[in-house]
Amino acid sequence: MTPLQSYASDPANSRGRLHDEKRDVTRGPRDDFQRDRDRIIHSISFRRLRYKTQVFVAPDGDHYRVRLTHSLEVAQIGRTIARALGLNEDLTEALCLAHDIGHPPFGHAGEDALEAALADFGGFDHNAQTIRTLTLLEQPYPRWKGLNLTWEMLEGLAKHNGPVRKPTWALAEANEAMDLDLDSWPSLEAQVAAIADDIAYDNHDIDDGIRAGLLTLDQLLELPFIAERWHAICDRFADVPEKLLLPELIRDQIGLMVNDVLETTSARIDGLGIETAQDVRQAGQMISGFSDAMAKMERVLKGFMYDNLYHHPKQMAAAEAGKMMVSDLVQAYREQPDLMPEDWTSALPGEEPARIRHIADFLAGMTDRYARNRHREIFGDRAGRA
């Protein structure tokens, strides 16, 4: 294993956990970041990602990605980058695995519905909901709420995209409990997790889009940088049918992006004189990321994916149906709280905004199929009410 660089996050120097824990040697020789990773993997909220939308709402096909498989793919890319840069692989992996835990059912459509429902009560943000879920809603331990993750883990989840100047109410609550230094830049491990997420969905969504018949190879080849790589692959495998070469294109694209991140990040570390983890937080900019040329290419690719896949009429119709289901369920639970399971009903606060936020917590934890089943129980077979 590559030795840790001086600017990597070191579990021996962790700022600790909110609740002090006595080391229990019966649970294995793991450091704090390894324990964080394992707590994520063993959590209920992580298991629920199996039935949460990635791109395709409640996909019928077994071969499409869901939030769980996406998170695993992000973790694989993140670990590769972290290892090459001499960063902490376990913290990077834990951040990658946890980054989507706060997503409600039906992806961004479900998030839009909850944002609208909570518009007068501070709104809804899936990133902050991830932290809320891991610090309050998961309750596997007898003496405290949450998974009691390290400061570095929570900091990375809170600001993997950079400093947070105006935290939402959920993030502000978490920050009040454990100051996450929201004005500073995140660790390199958190930055790597963020760029690994981009690399994963930029490329794997192409695979799923073509498999679903919503994208075609001809459409992709309208992008010059895709066409250049495709033609090189066809030349390299001239004796192989083209229909077998799409996975090779996806792999090449991922490799190209990963190598660009490694070169760019290493150059920035050297150019900024980064020597310690604190230097990273005080750098005044993101250090790990794409070069200017790759960032420009990636923006073009994202624009293409929005135009041709994410905003495809079939996708928009499915998303609208999901949004309506979540909106219906919010209204139903507000009017008849006893429709929720007893443990959620019994804990329902009496006053706003805590009341609607409690309902949102219940809804955000739902999988696509659970939300569909609850909606069917309450409203029958209608996809959603107008």
Side-chain angles (χ1 to χ4, degrees):
M1 181 178 292
T2 305
L4 286 182
Q5 295 292 335
S6 60
Y7 41 75
S9 296
D10 186 347
N13 296 325
S14 171
R15 298 193 197 183
R17 307 179 188 274
L18 180 61
H19 305 285
D20 186 40
E21 299 181 22
K22 293 181 179 179
R23 178 70 66 176
D24 186 348
V25 296
T26 66
R27 296 183 180 177
R30 297 169 295 161
D31 65 40
D32 282 339
F33 297 157
Q34 291 171 331
R35 287 172 183 265
D36 280 353
R37 177 203 56 211
D38 296 348
R39 289 176 187 194
I40 295 298
I41 291 173
H42 289 281
S43 69
I44 292 173
S45 53
F46 183 71
R47 294 198 292 274
R48 284 198 298 251
L49 295 179
R50 178 185 178 191
Y51 293 108
K52 288 199 174 190
T53 292
Q54 175 60 24
V55 173
F56 297 98
V57 175
D60 294 325
D62 292 337
H63 297 171
Y64 296 116
R65 289 163 176 86
V66 292
R67 291 279 171 197
L68 178 61
T69 55
H70 165 71
S71 297
L72 294 172
E73 290 171 341
V74 174
Q76 179 268 317
I77 294 170
R79 283 197 75 118
T80 296
I81 296 173
R83 179 174 300 179
L85 293 173
L87 304 178
N88 189 286
E89 294 180 46
D90 298 310
L91 177 58
T92 304
E93 182 181 26
L95 290 164
C96 291
L97 293 173
H99 80 282
D100 269 352
I101 276 176
H103 269 286
F106 312 119
H108 292 291
E111 183 168 8
D112 289 345
L114 290 179
E115 171 63 25
L118 273 69
D120 295 330
F121 304 99
F124 179 89
D125 168 54
H126 77 265
N127 192 51
Q129 189 69 20
T130 292
I131 296 175
R132 182 171 171 82
T133 300
L134 297 176
T135 58
L136 289 175
L137 304 181
E138 284 276 346
Q139 296 190 34
Y141 297 105
R143 297 193 181 276
W144 53 72
K145 294 181 178 180
L147 300 186
N148 200 31
L149 301 171
T150 61
W151 183 91
E152 290 76 13
M153 181 69 184
L154 296 176
E155 178 226 20
L157 291 172
K159 56 185 186 181
H160 57 271
N161 288 321
V164 182
R165 309 299 184 193
K166 296 181 179 180
T168 59
W169 65 269
L171 183 52
E173 283 187 354
N175 188 60
E176 185 176 347
M178 192 176 194
D179 185 359
L180 299 175
D181 196 13
L182 295 179
D183 288 335
S184 71
W185 292 81
S187 67
L188 275 171
E189 286 80 5
Q191 295 182 34
V192 165
I195 200 66
D197 184 26
D198 285 345
I199 294 171
Y201 74 72
D202 280 344
N203 293 287
H204 293 145
D205 289 357
I206 291 174
D207 185 26
D208 281 354
I210 290 179
R211 187 182 301 277
L214 302 187
L215 291 178
T216 67
L217 180 60
D218 287 342
Q219 285 176 301
L220 275 173
L221 296 182
E222 294 175 7
L223 301 175
F225 52 87
I226 297 287
E228 179 183 359
R229 190 144 299 276
W230 175 251
H231 294 317
I233 290 170
C234 289
D235 289 343
R236 197 162 74 237
F237 296 97
D239 58 335
V240 177
E242 284 191 358
K243 66 180 182 179
L244 300 178
L245 297 182
L246 180 63
E248 193 70 18
L249 175 64
I250 302 301
R251 285 192 291 271
D252 269 22
Q253 282 289 119
I254 292 173
L256 185 70
M257 289 183 170
V258 167
N259 287 334
D260 181 85
V261 168
L262 292 175
E263 293 173 7
T264 302
T265 304
S266 296
R268 289 175 184 166
I269 288 171
D270 292 341
L272 293 168
I274 301 298
E275 296 183 355
T276 68
Q278 194 57 28
D279 289 344
V280 174
R281 294 187 172 90
Q282 296 175 348
Q285 67 174 75
M286 291 293 269
I287 298 170
S288 186
F290 295 129
S291 64
D292 290 343
M294 180 62 72
K296 181 179 179 180
M297 187 195 82
E298 197 256 355
R299 285 193 297 271
V300 172
L301 178 58
K302 270 195 172 69
F304 169 87
M305 294 296 285
Y306 272 96
D307 291 342
N308 294 281
L309 179 61
Y310 307 139
H311 291 166
H312 190 284
K314 288 185 178 180
Q315 284 294 91
M316 296 298 287
E320 184 60 26
K323 181 178 178 180
M324 293 297 291
M325 283 188 217
V326 174
S327 297
D328 282 351
L329 290 171
V330 170
Q331 188 62 31
Y333 294 138
R334 293 192 77 176
E335 294 173 356
Q336 295 180 264
D338 59 354
L339 290 172
M340 293 189 293
E342 194 279 331
D343 55 336
W344 282 90
T345 303
S346 62
L348 182 68
E351 303 294 332
E352 301 293 7
R355 189 177 180 88
I356 184 62
R357 290 173 179 175
H358 181 82
I359 292 171
D361 286 338
F362 176 54
L363 278 158
M366 289 183 177
T367 63
D368 292 16
R369 69 174 186 175
Y370 185 84
R372 284 182 182 277
N373 289 340
R374 299 292 77 74
H375 190 275
R376 188 176 296 111
E377 286 177 359
I378 298 170
F379 300 107
D381 291 330
R382 290 168 295 172
R385 294 184 299 176

